[in-house]
Every structure is written in structure tokens, then in C-alpha cells.
Amino acid sequence: MALQPVIRRSVPEEVFEQIAADVLSGEMQPGEALPSERRLAEVLGVSRPAVREGLKRLSAAGLVEVRHGDVTTVRDFRRHAGLDLLPQLLFRNGELDISVVRSVLEARLRIGPKVVELAAERRGPQLAELLGDSLRAMAAEEDPVEWQRQVLKFWDHVVDSTGSIVFRLMYNAFRAASRPARSISTMRWPPPFR
């Protein structure tokens, strides 16, 4: 029997997910006004405080602009959101969005070598030893999910060796976005460098 973790979701999280899905799908366009808190509470069958909390999360994610005493409007997430939105973009309507996967891989391809270069400058021979161990672990791994975990460890060593908080936070966002894909993946991705 393959058990799966039980996902408990709060009501504000459900409010966030439903409205975010409409914004990200384009069903709600930038500049469009959301219904009032009262109307949203009625339509969603939740309390106004739950709607208010969901709207706070949507605002923090850069998806809506909440103006107290005025209407809440949809923002252009491409201009206002951050990397923390990647998990919602990667999986929409239960399906993997290949264009977002391509964007993540392109970013890694373009930024990765510069991150490695900085890590090598700052850690030198110590980094070579860490990465050598990681590469050997990847080469020995036959399980695709475990292999991907080894790839993540490799990148943890690289990113941590830069000493850059910006690279670390960027990597965290990429890692969080890829978490659902790792659990369903049965194939090997290319090694980090070729």
C-alpha cells in the first residue's frame, strides 16, 4: 500500500487557491475588479475574515491590489509577483505546464554556470571535493527519485558555496517549484553539467 501525506488546507488557503487559479489562467484579467469581500464570502460559502486573509495572501503574492475602502483589483502577476509563485505556475489544473518547466530549465542553464563560477572562486578545492562526492553518488544511484535528490544536494553545495543570499533564495524558489514534479517523475533529468 502506497500511503500519501494528508494535506490539510485552511479556508483562507482555499480562497487563495481559487482566486489565484483564475488570475493565473487569465480568466481574471489585470485591472479587473474582484467582487466585494461580502460577495466573495457568499459565493465561496466562507466567512469574511477567511476572505480577508485569502486576499492578504493574494496581495502578498502580487496577484491582487487591495485598497481599503476601494475595490480589490487583479494585478499583472508577470510584473508584480516573485519566484514564490513558481509552484502555482508549474502545476495548473492538475497538469504540468511545460512552458514553465522550460523557463526553469533555461534559467538554470543560463544562471547555473555563473553560480558555479562564483562558488569555485569562493570555495576553491573544497568545493571540488564536495562536488566530486555528489557526482559519484549520482552516478551510483539507480532510483530516479533518489537520483534527483542527489542532484538537489549537488546544487545545495554549489549555491551554499557562493555565500550569496540572493542565489540561495532563487534556488529555494526553483526547488520548491520542482517538489511536486519530483514525486511523480520516473525519468532521469540530464546531469547538472554536460
Side-chain angles (χ1 to χ4, degrees):
M1 170 165 62
L3 298 175
Q4 298 294 318
V6 175
I7 299 173
R8 293 185 181 168
R9 301 173 68 104
S10 68
V11 174
E13 191 173 346
E14 287 291 336
V15 171
F16 170 84
E17 291 291 335
Q18 283 194 42
I19 296 173
D22 286 350
V23 171
L24 297 175
S25 71
E27 191 171 318
M28 298 181 79
Q29 293 292 310
E32 186 177 333
L34 267 64
S36 68
E37 281 183 12
R38 178 178 296 145
R39 182 69 184 134
L40 283 171
E42 289 171 5
V43 170
L44 296 171
V46 300
S47 68
R48 285 183 70 184
V51 168
R52 199 170 297 120
E53 186 61 33
L55 290 175
K56 282 182 187 175
R57 283 198 57 209
L58 289 160
S59 179
L63 297 176
V64 301
E65 183 176 3
V66 178
R67 285 178 266 162
H68 299 289
D70 201 358
V71 296
T72 297
T73 55
V74 175
R75 296 185 90 184
D76 182 350
F77 72 88
R78 293 177 181 275
R79 300 271 184 253
H80 300 283
L83 286 173
D84 54 329
L85 196 59
L86 274 177
Q88 283 86 11
L89 290 170
L90 192 59
F91 282 94
R92 286 190 268 182
N93 301 322
E95 293 189 18
L96 188 64
D97 186 327
I98 299 302
S99 67
V100 177
V101 172
R102 185 180 308 113
S103 291
V104 169
L105 293 175
E106 287 171 344
R108 189 178 88 178
L109 177 66
R110 300 293 182 191
I111 297 170
K114 292 297 181 186
V115 174
V116 171
E117 183 180 320
L118 181 60
E121 284 174 16
R122 293 193 172 159
R123 284 291 296 273
Q126 293 173 323
L127 178 62
E129 185 177 325
L130 282 171
L131 297 185
D133 292 343
S134 284
L135 290 171
R136 283 186 287 282
M138 287 175 2
E141 190 54 63
E142 293 187 18
D143 177 39
V145 173
E146 284 302 315
W147 182 83
Q148 289 179 15
R149 284 193 181 108
Q150 293 298 328
V151 170
L152 292 174
K153 285 182 185 178
F154 175 95
W155 280 103
D156 275 332
H157 293 313
V158 171
V159 173
D160 289 341
S161 294
T162 67
S164 168
I165 188 64
V166 173
F167 284 145
R168 182 74 236 181
L169 295 177
M170 287 172 57
Y171 174 72
N172 291 347
F174 289 142
R175 187 175 187 159
S178 69
R179 188 170 293 124
R182 286 195 310 271
S183 65
I184 62 171
S185 176
T186 58
M187 64 180 205
R188 282 186 175 225
W189 291 82
F193 301 106
R194 281 213 160 152

